[in-house]
Amino acid sequence: MTRFALTLEFDGGPFFGLQRQENGPSVQQSVEEAAQRITGKDVTLHSAGRTDSGVHALAMRSHLDIEKPFEPFRLMEALNAHLRPEPVAVTHCEAKPDDWHARFSCIGRSYEYRIRNRRAPLTLEKGRAWHIARPLDADAMDEAAQALVGQHDFTTFRSVHCQSASPEKTLGRLDVSREGDAVLIRAAARSFLHHQVRSMVGCLALVGQGQWRVEQMQEALEARDRAALGLNAPPEGLYFVAARYPDEEQEI
Amino acid sequence: MTRFALTLEFDGGPFFGLQRQENGPSVQQSVEEAAQRITGKDVTLHSAGRTDSGVHALAMRSHLDIEKPFEPFRLMEALNAHLRPEPVAVTHCEAKPDDWHARFSCIGRSYEYRIRNRRAPLTLEKGRAWHIARPLDADAMDEAAQALVGQHDFTTFRSVHCQSASPEKTLGRLDVSREGDAVLIRAAARSFLHHQVRSMVGCLALVGQGQWRVEQMQEALEARDRAALGLNAPPEGLYFVAARYPDEEQEI
């Protein structure tokens, strides 16, 4: 048996999320079925994050165990051949020790959230960004974001369906920057609560539009109450961009 | 009557090109029909370029004449409302003098061509870039590209359907650069022949894959023969990115 780490890129649009669902197609099901067609065996995919319906990934990290010997490049090619024409691709594949786990070994997750801030509807980025027509003050958003960085009880920014044992998380980074008519939000933490990034982004958008004062972000956090949430941002602007593992950290 | 300059962004995927076609939907038809629904009059759209089926635009420049007085911002909003849900958007609208012409006043056109160079199939960029799995040498492509810069007879790189009076054009810029697994080609000229950018990119891809020597680009140009063309690149990687007009040039 060999444990293979996969890097997955996918368009979340047609999926009911990464994790297997009873009610519709999932990225997990697509990759597992591709692996089953190659190996003739049941295969389970484990992943660093559990992205929601409509959320994209540039580099989700996952793993699966395969009995048959495989050269990693050949496995990647075979998986991609069987995944066609679904919008899921394996961009990297490598063998890992048996105790390497895509979810439990992961020590850092990064997301990007993309907003297009203009009057005109989206064309090429439809389904790839959140369209906000009212002008956003990205500097005010960035200032408000800093209230959330650090270790806090994030109950306000947590889905009622969240299965995490504790609402305490340590947010390492939450930056907002403007590039032309795009407003980009970058978030990094060891781990996130369910809907945490979208909930934080939704409230930042209220600050950006002047509907919330900058200080209201701090107040919402301190409320520790889901009812204090201003807005949950839509999934189509969210991208899982990177996962960190101890064995891959650069030596200094 | 007022002449309005429009900046158009569109996903070329569902269209048979920018220009009106008898056999299928066009960007021109969509915009003209939106303008007709607003004004109740026949309206003709003129554009800086005539992009082919599947070619995208980030900022196509066009104009139309409207009898009824309109505030430019209101016209943009009304056009966008009537264009929904088609993937065409008016991102800017302004009044211009009656002798300003989107096509005939234009003194420069720029295109970008996007290649994703990796083994894995495309997901989020499917239909938005040319996928080339074999490794490309972007430095060799850039070197070969320089043979085409300047004033030349571009017969080799011209569609048999090209309606231009002369095959002579002056190519101002043709640059190739790599950004990760993306290879970007930027082309600028006063004007281009039909299929010229895609024909140049197709041959550059042959150089990048080592199927053509760098010098073969020069030889293909000098052949002045369509039969010397190596390959016409597919439309989905091509974007019309900018048009220049004398009245909009920055004063120095």
Side-chain angles (χ1 to χ4, degrees):
Chain A
M1 186 218 84
T2 309
R3 179 154 293 187
F4 290 98
L6 306 179
T7 303
L8 300 179
E9 178 188 279
F10 57 84
D11 171 4
F15 296 104
F16 281 56
L18 173 53
Q19 207 169 19
R20 250 184 202 275
Q21 300 289 333
E22 296 209 340
N23 56 343
S26 63
V27 175
Q28 184 181 353
Q29 182 185 348
S30 291
V31 177
E32 288 176 351
E33 287 178 0
Q36 280 156 13
R37 282 197 293 274
I38 294 164
T39 62
K41 305 269 185 185
D42 276 357
V43 176
T44 301
L45 187 80
H46 299 271
S47 299
R50 306 192 200 174
T51 57
D52 284 322
S53 180
V55 174
H56 314 296
L58 298 180
M60 175 56 71
R61 300 293 301 274
S62 306
H63 81 256
L64 38 70
D65 294 334
I66 291 183
E67 281 184 40
K68 202 171 135 185
F70 252 109
E71 201 269 308
F73 179 77
R74 290 291 149 214
L75 178 60
M76 178 181 95
E77 295 275 287
L79 287 168
N80 282 331
H82 284 278
L83 282 164
R84 280 177 196 271
E86 294 190 70
V88 182
V90 181
T91 60
H92 184 73
C93 175
E94 65 180 291
K96 287 281 192 185
D98 291 358
D99 64 349
W100 189 93
H101 196 289
R103 181 173 168 205
F104 298 120
S105 304
C106 181
I107 54 168
R109 281 118 175 138
S110 304
Y111 287 90
E112 279 186 24
Y113 195 98
R114 185 169 178 81
I115 297 172
R116 285 297 292 278
N117 187 215
R118 67 179 196 186
R119 291 297 309 175
L122 304 188
T123 67
L124 289 156
E125 282 205 280
K126 196 173 161 70
R128 305 275 193 273
W130 184 15
H131 177 220
I132 298 182
R134 290 180 61 177
L136 292 174
D137 180 343
D139 291 336
M141 292 167 72
D142 189 59
E143 189 185 341
Q146 303 322 309
L148 304 184
V149 174
Q151 187 179 352
H152 302 288
D153 177 334
F154 282 96
T155 297
T156 303
F157 303 94
R158 177 190 198 185
S159 160
V160 293
H161 303 294
C162 182
Q163 291 167 20
S164 177
S166 159
E168 289 252 339
K169 291 288 171 189
T170 301
L171 182 61
R173 176 187 181 188
L174 188 64
D175 295 339
V176 184
S177 60
R178 175 177 283 279
E179 293 179 12
D181 68 8
V183 174
L184 302 176
I185 297 145
R186 294 184 178 85
R190 187 177 177 99
S191 62
F192 290 91
L193 298 168
H194 189 215
H195 277 191
Q196 186 181 345
V197 180
R198 287 167 55 192
S199 295
M200 297 190 299
V201 169
C203 295
L204 289 174
L206 294 180
V207 172
Q209 294 173 67
Q211 294 177 257
W212 270 23
R213 287 169 290 106
V214 168
E215 301 72 31
Q216 271 177 276
M217 189 62 78
Q218 177 84 36
E219 293 161 23
L221 176 70
E222 288 172 1
R224 296 181 186 80
D225 180 357
R226 185 68 177 164
L229 181 75
L231 184 66
N232 204 27
E236 65 262 26
L238 186 58
Y239 296 77
F240 186 100
V241 294
R244 290 172 53 209
Y245 295 91
D247 63 313
E248 298 174 359
E249 299 285 283
Q250 299 271 336
E251 301 279 340
I252 296 171
Chain B
M1 186 217 84
T2 308
R3 178 153 295 185
F4 290 98
L6 307 179
T7 303
L8 300 179
E9 179 189 277
F10 57 82
D11 171 4
F15 296 105
F16 280 56
L18 173 53
Q19 205 169 20
R20 249 183 203 275
Q21 300 288 334
E22 296 209 341
N23 55 341
S26 63
V27 175
Q28 183 181 354
Q29 183 185 346
S30 291
V31 178
E32 288 176 351
E33 287 179 0
Q36 282 155 13
R37 283 197 293 273
I38 295 166
T39 62
K41 306 269 185 185
D42 276 357
V43 175
T44 302
L45 187 80
H46 299 271
S47 299
R50 306 191 200 176
T51 57
D52 283 323
S53 180
V55 174
H56 314 296
L58 299 180
M60 176 55 70
R61 299 296 300 274
S62 306
H63 81 257
L64 38 70
D65 294 334
I66 290 184
E67 280 184 41
K68 203 171 136 184
F70 252 108
E71 203 268 306
F73 179 77
R74 292 289 148 216
L75 178 60
M76 179 181 93
E77 296 276 287
L79 286 169
N80 282 331
H82 284 278
L83 281 165
R84 278 177 197 271
E86 295 191 69
V88 181
V90 181
T91 60
H92 184 72
C93 176
E94 65 180 289
K96 287 282 192 183
D98 290 359
D99 64 350
W100 189 94
H101 196 288
R103 182 173 169 206
F104 299 120
S105 304
C106 181
I107 54 168
R109 281 122 175 133
S110 303
Y111 286 90
E112 279 186 23
Y113 196 98
R114 185 168 179 83
I115 297 171
R116 286 296 292 278
N117 187 213
R118 67 180 197 187
R119 290 298 309 175
L122 304 187
T123 67
L124 289 155
E125 282 205 280
K126 196 171 160 68
R128 307 274 194 271
W130 183 15
H131 176 221
I132 298 182
R134 289 180 62 177
L136 292 174
D137 180 344
D139 291 335
M141 292 167 72
D142 189 59
E143 189 185 343
Q146 303 323 309
L148 304 184
V149 174
Q151 187 179 354
H152 302 289
D153 176 334
F154 282 97
T155 297
T156 303
F157 303 94
R158 178 190 198 186
S159 160
V160 292
H161 303 294
C162 182
Q163 290 167 21
S164 177
S166 159
E168 288 252 338
K169 291 286 172 190
T170 301
L171 182 62
R173 176 186 180 187
L174 188 64
D175 295 340
V176 184
S177 60
R178 174 177 285 279
E179 293 179 13
D181 69 7
V183 174
L184 304 175
I185 297 146
R186 295 183 177 87
R190 185 175 179 100
S191 62
F192 289 92
L193 298 167
H194 188 217
H195 278 191
Q196 186 181 344
V197 179
R198 289 168 54 193
S199 294
M200 295 190 301
V201 169
C203 295
L204 289 173
L206 293 180
V207 172
Q209 292 172 69
Q211 295 178 256
W212 271 23
R213 289 169 289 107
V214 168
E215 302 72 32
Q216 270 177 277
M217 189 63 79
Q218 176 86 34
E219 294 162 22
L221 176 68
E222 288 172 359
R224 297 183 185 79
D225 180 358
R226 185 68 177 166
L229 181 75
L231 184 65
N232 203 28
E236 64 263 27
L238 186 58
Y239 296 76
F240 186 99
V241 294
R244 290 172 53 208
Y245 296 91
D247 63 313
E248 298 174 359
E249 299 286 283
Q250 301 269 338
E251 301 278 340
I252 297 171

Coordinates of all heavy atoms in Angstrom, one line a residue, chain A residues 9-12 56-58 73 76-77 80-81 84-91 116 118-126 128 131 239, chain B residues 9-12 56-58 73 76-77 80-81 84-91 116 118-126 128 131 239:
Chain A
E9 N -7.2 20.9 -8.1 CA -7.8 22.2 -8.5 C -9.2 21.9 -9.0 O -9.4 20.9 -9.7 CB -7.0 22.7 -9.7 CG -7.5 24.0 -10.3 CD -6.7 24.4 -11.5 OE1 -5.6 25.0 -11.4 OE2 -7.3 24.1 -12.6
F10 N -10.2 22.6 -8.6 CA -11.5 22.4 -9.1 C -12.4 23.7 -9.1 O -12.2 24.6 -8.3 CB -12.3 21.3 -8.3 CG -12.4 21.5 -6.8 CD1 -13.4 22.3 -6.3 CD2 -11.5 20.9 -5.9 CE1 -13.5 22.4 -4.9 CE2 -11.6 21.0 -4.6 CZ -12.6 21.8 -4.1
D11 N -13.3 23.7 -10.0 CA -14.4 24.7 -10.1 C -15.5 24.1 -9.3 O -16.1 23.1 -9.6 CB -14.8 24.8 -11.6 CG -16.0 25.6 -11.8 OD1 -16.5 26.2 -10.8 OD2 -16.5 25.7 -13.0
G12 N -15.8 24.8 -8.2 CA -16.8 24.3 -7.3 C -18.3 24.4 -7.8 O -19.2 23.9 -7.2
H56 N -14.4 27.2 -4.7 CA -13.4 26.6 -5.6 C -12.1 26.3 -4.9 O -11.9 26.7 -3.7 CB -13.0 27.7 -6.7 CG -14.2 28.4 -7.3 ND1 -15.1 27.6 -8.0 CD2 -14.7 29.6 -7.2 CE1 -16.1 28.5 -8.4 NE2 -15.9 29.7 -8.0
A57 N -11.2 25.6 -5.6 CA -9.9 25.3 -5.0 C -8.8 25.5 -6.1 O -9.0 25.0 -7.2 CB -9.8 23.9 -4.5
L58 N -7.8 26.2 -5.8 CA -6.6 26.3 -6.7 C -5.6 25.2 -6.3 O -4.9 24.7 -7.2 CB -5.9 27.6 -6.5 CG -6.8 28.8 -6.9 CD1 -6.0 30.1 -6.8 CD2 -7.3 28.7 -8.4
F73 N 3.5 10.1 -11.1 CA 3.1 10.8 -12.3 C 2.1 10.0 -13.1 O 1.1 10.6 -13.6 CB 4.4 11.1 -13.2 CG 4.1 11.8 -14.5 CD1 3.8 13.1 -14.5 CD2 4.0 11.1 -15.7 CE1 3.5 13.8 -15.7 CE2 3.7 11.7 -16.9 CZ 3.5 13.1 -16.9
M76 N -1.3 10.3 -11.4 CA -1.9 11.6 -11.7 C -2.5 11.6 -13.1 O -3.7 12.0 -13.3 CB -0.8 12.7 -11.6 CG -1.3 14.1 -12.0 SD 0.0 15.4 -11.9 CE 0.5 15.4 -13.6
E77 N -1.8 11.1 -14.1 CA -2.3 11.1 -15.5 C -3.5 10.2 -15.6 O -4.5 10.6 -16.3 CB -1.2 10.5 -16.4 CG 0.0 11.4 -16.5 CD -0.1 12.5 -17.5 OE1 -0.1 12.2 -18.7 OE2 -0.3 13.7 -17.1
N80 N -6.5 12.0 -13.9 CA -7.0 13.1 -14.8 C -7.8 12.5 -16.0 O -8.8 13.1 -16.4 CB -5.9 14.0 -15.2 CG -5.4 14.9 -14.1 OD1 -6.3 15.3 -13.3 ND2 -4.2 15.3 -14.1
A81 N -7.3 11.4 -16.6 CA -8.0 10.8 -17.7 C -9.4 10.4 -17.3 O -10.4 10.6 -18.0 CB -7.2 9.7 -18.3
R84 N -12.0 13.5 -16.5 CA -12.6 14.2 -17.6 C -14.0 13.8 -17.8 O -14.3 12.6 -17.8 CB -11.8 13.9 -18.9 CG -10.6 14.7 -19.1 CD -9.9 14.2 -20.4 NE -8.5 14.6 -20.5 CZ -8.1 15.7 -21.0 NH1 -8.9 16.6 -21.5 NH2 -6.8 16.0 -21.1
P85 N -15.0 14.6 -18.2 CA -14.8 16.1 -18.4 C -15.2 16.9 -17.2 O -15.4 18.1 -17.3 CB -15.8 16.3 -19.5 CG -17.0 15.4 -19.2 CD -16.3 14.2 -18.5
E86 N -15.2 16.3 -16.0 CA -15.5 17.1 -14.8 C -14.5 18.1 -14.5 O -13.3 17.9 -14.7 CB -15.7 16.1 -13.7 CG -16.9 15.2 -13.9 CD -17.3 14.4 -12.7 OE1 -17.8 15.1 -11.7 OE2 -17.1 13.2 -12.6
P87 N -14.9 19.3 -13.9 CA -13.9 20.4 -13.7 C -13.1 20.1 -12.4 O -13.0 21.0 -11.5 CB -14.8 21.6 -13.6 CG -16.1 21.1 -13.1 CD -16.2 19.7 -13.6
V88 N -12.5 19.0 -12.3 CA -11.5 18.6 -11.2 C -10.3 18.1 -11.9 O -10.3 17.3 -12.8 CB -12.1 17.5 -10.4 CG1 -11.1 17.2 -9.2 CG2 -13.5 17.8 -9.9
A89 N -9.1 18.6 -11.4 CA -7.9 18.1 -12.0 C -6.9 17.9 -10.9 O -6.8 18.6 -9.9 CB -7.3 19.2 -13.0
V90 N -6.1 16.8 -11.0 CA -5.0 16.6 -10.1 C -3.7 17.3 -10.7 O -3.3 16.9 -11.8 CB -4.7 15.1 -10.0 CG1 -3.5 14.8 -9.0 CG2 -5.9 14.3 -9.6
T91 N -3.2 18.3 -10.0 CA -2.1 19.1 -10.6 C -0.8 18.6 -10.1 O 0.3 18.9 -10.6 CB -2.3 20.6 -10.3 OG1 -2.3 20.7 -8.9 CG2 -3.5 21.1 -10.9
R116 N -15.5 41.5 -7.2 CA -15.4 42.5 -8.3 C -16.3 43.6 -7.9 O -17.5 43.4 -7.7 CB -15.7 41.9 -9.6 CG -14.7 41.0 -10.2 CD -13.4 41.6 -10.5 NE -13.4 42.6 -11.6 CZ -13.3 42.3 -12.9 NH1 -13.1 41.0 -13.2 NH2 -13.3 43.2 -13.8
R118 N -17.8 46.8 -9.1 CA -18.1 47.7 -10.2 C -19.6 47.7 -10.5 O -20.3 46.8 -10.1 CB -17.3 47.3 -11.5 CG -17.8 45.9 -12.0 CD -17.0 45.5 -13.2 NE -17.6 44.5 -14.0 CZ -17.1 43.8 -15.0 NH1 -15.9 44.2 -15.4 NH2 -17.7 42.9 -15.6
R119 N -20.1 48.6 -11.3 CA -21.5 48.6 -11.6 C -21.8 47.5 -12.6 O -22.9 46.8 -12.4 CB -21.9 50.0 -12.3 CG -21.8 51.2 -11.5 CD -22.8 51.1 -10.3 NE -24.2 50.8 -10.8 CZ -25.2 50.6 -9.9 NH1 -25.0 50.7 -8.6 NH2 -26.4 50.4 -10.4
A120 N -21.0 47.3 -13.6 CA -21.4 46.3 -14.7 C -21.4 44.9 -14.1 O -20.6 44.5 -13.3 CB -20.4 46.4 -15.8
P121 N -22.4 44.1 -14.6 CA -22.4 42.7 -14.2 C -21.1 41.9 -14.7 O -20.4 42.4 -15.5 CB -23.6 42.1 -15.0 CG -24.4 43.3 -15.5 CD -23.4 44.4 -15.5
L122 N -20.9 40.8 -14.1 CA -19.7 40.0 -14.5 C -20.0 39.2 -15.7 O -21.1 38.7 -16.0 CB -19.3 39.1 -13.3 CG -19.0 39.8 -12.0 CD1 -18.5 38.8 -11.0 CD2 -18.1 41.0 -12.1
T123 N -18.9 39.0 -16.5 CA -19.0 38.1 -17.7 C -18.0 37.0 -17.5 O -18.4 35.9 -17.2 CB -18.7 38.9 -19.0 OG1 -17.4 39.3 -19.0 CG2 -19.7 40.2 -19.1
L124 N -16.8 37.2 -17.8 CA -15.8 36.1 -17.7 C -15.6 35.6 -16.3 O -15.2 34.5 -16.1 CB -14.4 36.7 -18.3 CG -14.4 36.9 -19.8 CD1 -13.3 37.9 -20.2 CD2 -14.2 35.6 -20.5
E125 N -15.9 36.4 -15.3 CA -15.7 36.0 -13.9 C -17.1 35.6 -13.2 O -17.1 35.5 -12.0 CB -15.0 37.1 -13.1 CG -13.5 37.1 -13.4 CD -12.8 37.7 -12.2 OE1 -12.7 39.0 -12.1 OE2 -12.2 37.0 -11.4
K126 N -18.1 35.5 -14.0 CA -19.4 35.0 -13.4 C -19.2 33.7 -12.8 O -18.6 32.8 -13.4 CB -20.4 34.9 -14.6 CG -21.8 34.9 -14.1 CD -22.8 35.0 -15.3 CE -24.1 34.4 -15.0 NZ -24.9 35.3 -14.1
R128 N -17.2 33.2 -10.4 CA -15.8 33.1 -10.0 C -15.5 34.2 -9.0 O -14.3 34.3 -8.5 CB -14.8 33.3 -11.2 CG -15.0 32.3 -12.3 CD -14.3 31.0 -12.1 NE -14.2 30.2 -13.2 CZ -15.1 29.3 -13.6 NH1 -16.2 29.2 -12.9 NH2 -15.0 28.6 -14.7
H131 N -20.0 39.7 -7.0 CA -20.2 41.0 -7.6 C -20.9 42.0 -6.7 O -22.0 41.7 -6.2 CB -21.0 40.8 -8.9 CG -21.3 42.1 -9.6 ND1 -22.5 42.4 -10.1 CD2 -20.5 43.2 -9.8 CE1 -22.5 43.6 -10.6 NE2 -21.3 44.1 -10.4
Y239 N -11.9 30.8 -2.7 CA -10.9 29.8 -3.2 C -10.0 29.3 -2.1 O -9.5 30.0 -1.3 CB -10.0 30.5 -4.2 CG -10.7 31.0 -5.5 CD1 -11.4 32.2 -5.4 CD2 -10.6 30.3 -6.7 CE1 -12.1 32.6 -6.6 CE2 -11.2 30.8 -7.8 CZ -12.0 31.9 -7.8 OH -12.6 32.4 -8.9
Chain B
E9 N -17.0 44.3 -22.2 CA -16.3 43.1 -21.7 C -17.2 41.9 -22.1 O -18.4 42.0 -21.9 CB -16.1 43.1 -20.2 CG -15.4 41.9 -19.6 CD -15.5 42.0 -18.0 OE1 -14.7 42.6 -17.4 OE2 -16.4 41.4 -17.5
F10 N -16.6 40.8 -22.7 CA -17.5 39.7 -22.9 C -16.7 38.4 -23.0 O -15.5 38.3 -23.2 CB -18.3 39.9 -24.3 CG -17.5 40.1 -25.5 CD1 -16.9 39.1 -26.2 CD2 -17.3 41.4 -26.0 CE1 -16.1 39.3 -27.3 CE2 -16.5 41.6 -27.1 CZ -16.0 40.6 -27.8
D11 N -17.5 37.3 -22.6 CA -17.0 36.0 -22.7 C -17.4 35.5 -24.1 O -18.6 35.4 -24.5 CB -17.7 35.1 -21.7 CG -17.5 33.6 -21.9 OD1 -16.7 33.2 -22.7 OD2 -18.1 32.9 -21.1
G12 N -16.4 35.3 -25.0 CA -16.7 35.0 -26.4 C -17.2 33.6 -26.6 O -17.7 33.3 -27.7
H56 N -12.4 36.3 -26.5 CA -12.9 37.2 -25.4 C -12.5 38.6 -25.5 O -11.6 38.9 -26.3 CB -12.4 36.6 -24.1 CG -12.5 35.2 -23.9 ND1 -13.8 34.5 -23.9 CD2 -11.6 34.2 -23.8 CE1 -13.6 33.2 -23.8 NE2 -12.3 33.0 -23.8
A57 N -13.1 39.5 -24.8 CA -12.7 40.9 -24.7 C -12.7 41.4 -23.2 O -13.7 41.1 -22.5 CB -13.6 41.8 -25.5
L58 N -11.7 42.0 -22.8 CA -11.7 42.6 -21.5 C -12.1 44.1 -21.6 O -12.7 44.7 -20.7 CB -10.3 42.6 -20.9 CG -9.7 41.2 -20.6 CD1 -8.3 41.2 -20.0 CD2 -10.7 40.4 -19.7
F73 N -24.0 57.4 -17.8 CA -24.1 56.4 -16.8 C -25.5 55.6 -16.9 O -25.5 54.4 -16.7 CB -23.9 57.0 -15.4 CG -24.0 56.0 -14.3 CD1 -23.0 55.2 -14.0 CD2 -25.2 55.9 -13.5 CE1 -23.1 54.2 -13.0 CE2 -25.3 55.0 -12.5 CZ -24.3 54.2 -12.2
M76 N -25.5 53.2 -19.8 CA -24.7 52.0 -19.4 C -25.6 51.1 -18.6 O -25.6 49.9 -18.8 CB -23.4 52.4 -18.7 CG -22.6 51.2 -18.2 SD -21.1 51.7 -17.3 CE -21.7 51.6 -15.6
E77 N -26.2 51.6 -17.6 CA -27.0 50.8 -16.7 C -28.2 50.2 -17.4 O -28.5 49.0 -17.2 CB -27.6 51.7 -15.5 CG -26.6 52.3 -14.6 CD -26.2 51.3 -13.5 OE1 -27.0 51.1 -12.6 OE2 -25.0 50.8 -13.6
N80 N -26.8 47.3 -19.7 CA -26.5 46.2 -18.9 C -27.8 45.4 -18.4 O -27.8 44.2 -18.4 CB -25.6 46.6 -17.7 CG -24.2 46.8 -18.1 OD1 -23.7 46.2 -19.1 ND2 -23.5 47.6 -17.4
A81 N -28.8 46.2 -18.0 CA -30.0 45.5 -17.6 C -30.6 44.7 -18.7 O -31.1 43.6 -18.5 CB -31.0 46.6 -17.1
R84 N -28.5 41.3 -19.7 CA -28.6 40.1 -18.8 C -29.5 39.1 -19.4 O -30.6 39.5 -20.0 CB -29.3 40.5 -17.4 CG -28.3 41.1 -16.5 CD -29.1 41.5 -15.2 NE -28.4 42.5 -14.4 CZ -27.5 42.2 -13.4 NH1 -27.3 40.9 -13.2 NH2 -27.0 43.1 -12.7
P85 N -29.3 37.8 -19.3 CA -28.1 37.2 -18.6 C -27.0 36.9 -19.6 O -26.2 36.0 -19.2 CB -28.7 35.9 -18.1 CG -29.7 35.5 -19.2 CD -30.2 36.8 -19.8
E86 N -26.9 37.5 -20.7 CA -25.8 37.2 -21.6 C -24.5 37.7 -21.1 O -24.4 38.7 -20.4 CB -26.1 37.8 -23.0 CG -27.4 37.2 -23.6 CD -27.5 37.6 -25.1 OE1 -26.7 37.2 -25.9 OE2 -28.4 38.4 -25.4
P87 N -23.4 37.0 -21.4 CA -22.1 37.3 -20.8 C -21.4 38.5 -21.6 O -20.3 38.4 -22.0 CB -21.3 36.0 -20.9 CG -21.9 35.3 -22.1 CD -23.3 35.7 -22.2
V88 N -22.2 39.6 -21.7 CA -21.6 40.8 -22.3 C -22.0 41.9 -21.3 O -23.1 42.0 -20.8 CB -22.3 41.2 -23.6 CG1 -21.7 42.4 -24.2 CG2 -22.3 40.0 -24.6
A89 N -21.0 42.8 -21.0 CA -21.3 43.9 -20.1 C -20.6 45.2 -20.6 O -19.6 45.1 -21.2 CB -20.7 43.6 -18.7
V90 N -21.3 46.3 -20.4 CA -20.8 47.6 -20.7 C -20.1 48.1 -19.4 O -20.8 48.3 -18.4 CB -21.9 48.6 -21.1 CG1 -21.3 49.9 -21.5 CG2 -22.7 48.0 -22.3
T91 N -18.8 48.2 -19.5 CA -18.1 48.6 -18.3 C -17.8 50.1 -18.2 O -17.4 50.6 -17.2 CB -16.7 47.9 -18.1 OG1 -15.9 48.2 -19.3 CG2 -16.9 46.4 -18.1
R116 N -2.0 27.9 -20.7 CA -1.7 27.2 -19.5 C -0.8 26.0 -19.9 O -1.3 25.1 -20.7 CB -2.9 26.8 -18.7 CG -3.6 27.9 -18.0 CD -2.8 28.6 -16.9 NE -2.5 27.8 -15.7 CZ -3.3 27.6 -14.7 NH1 -4.5 28.2 -14.7 NH2 -3.0 26.9 -13.7
R118 N 0.8 22.8 -18.6 CA 0.9 21.8 -17.6 C 0.3 20.5 -18.0 O -0.4 20.5 -19.0 CB 0.2 22.3 -16.3 CG -1.3 22.4 -16.5 CD -2.0 22.9 -15.2 NE -3.4 22.7 -15.2 CZ -4.2 23.1 -14.3 NH1 -3.8 23.9 -13.3 NH2 -5.5 22.8 -14.3
R119 N 0.6 19.5 -17.3 CA 0.0 18.2 -17.7 C -1.5 18.2 -17.4 O -2.3 17.7 -18.2 CB 0.6 17.1 -16.9 CG 2.0 16.8 -17.2 CD 2.2 16.3 -18.7 NE 1.4 15.2 -19.0 CZ 1.3 14.7 -20.3 NH1 2.0 15.2 -21.3 NH2 0.5 13.7 -20.5
A120 N -2.0 18.7 -16.2 CA -3.4 18.5 -15.8 C -4.3 19.3 -16.7 O -4.0 20.4 -17.1 CB -3.5 18.9 -14.4
P121 N -5.5 18.7 -17.0 CA -6.5 19.5 -17.8 C -6.9 20.8 -17.0 O -6.7 20.9 -15.8 CB -7.7 18.5 -17.8 CG -7.1 17.2 -17.5 CD -5.9 17.4 -16.6
L122 N -7.5 21.7 -17.7 CA -8.0 22.9 -17.1 C -9.3 22.7 -16.4 O -10.1 22.0 -16.9 CB -8.1 24.1 -18.1 CG -6.8 24.3 -18.9 CD1 -6.9 25.6 -19.8 CD2 -5.6 24.5 -18.0
T123 N -9.5 23.5 -15.3 CA -10.8 23.4 -14.6 C -11.4 24.8 -14.7 O -12.2 25.2 -15.5 CB -10.7 22.9 -13.2 OG1 -10.0 23.8 -12.4 CG2 -10.0 21.5 -13.2
L124 N -10.9 25.7 -13.8 CA -11.5 27.1 -13.7 C -11.2 27.9 -14.9 O -11.9 28.8 -15.3 CB -10.9 27.8 -12.4 CG -11.4 27.2 -11.1 CD1 -10.4 27.5 -10.0 CD2 -12.8 27.9 -10.8
E125 N -10.1 27.5 -15.7 CA -9.8 28.3 -16.9 C -10.2 27.6 -18.2 O -9.7 28.0 -19.3 CB -8.3 28.6 -16.9 CG -7.9 29.7 -16.0 CD -6.7 30.4 -16.4 OE1 -5.6 29.9 -16.1 OE2 -6.7 31.5 -17.0
K126 N -11.0 26.6 -18.1 CA -11.5 25.9 -19.3 C -12.2 26.9 -20.1 O -13.1 27.6 -19.6 CB -12.4 24.8 -18.8 CG -12.7 23.7 -19.9 CD -13.5 22.6 -19.3 CE -14.2 21.7 -20.3 NZ -13.3 21.0 -21.2
R128 N -10.9 29.5 -21.3 CA -10.4 30.8 -21.0 C -8.9 30.9 -21.3 O -8.2 31.9 -21.2 CB -10.5 31.2 -19.5 CG -11.9 31.1 -19.0 CD -12.6 32.4 -19.2 NE -13.8 32.5 -18.5 CZ -15.0 32.1 -18.9 NH1 -15.1 31.5 -20.0 NH2 -16.1 32.2 -18.1
H131 N -4.7 25.1 -23.5 CA -4.0 24.1 -22.7 C -3.0 23.4 -23.5 O -3.4 22.7 -24.5 CB -5.0 23.1 -22.1 CG -4.4 22.1 -21.3 ND1 -4.8 20.7 -21.3 CD2 -3.3 22.1 -20.4 CE1 -4.0 20.0 -20.5 NE2 -3.1 20.8 -20.0
Y239 N -7.7 37.3 -25.9 CA -8.4 38.4 -25.3 C -8.1 39.7 -26.0 O -6.9 40.1 -26.1 CB -8.0 38.6 -23.8 CG -8.4 37.4 -23.0 CD1 -7.7 36.2 -23.0 CD2 -9.5 37.4 -22.1 CE1 -8.0 35.1 -22.3 CE2 -9.9 36.3 -21.4 CZ -9.1 35.2 -21.4 OH -9.5 34.1 -20.7

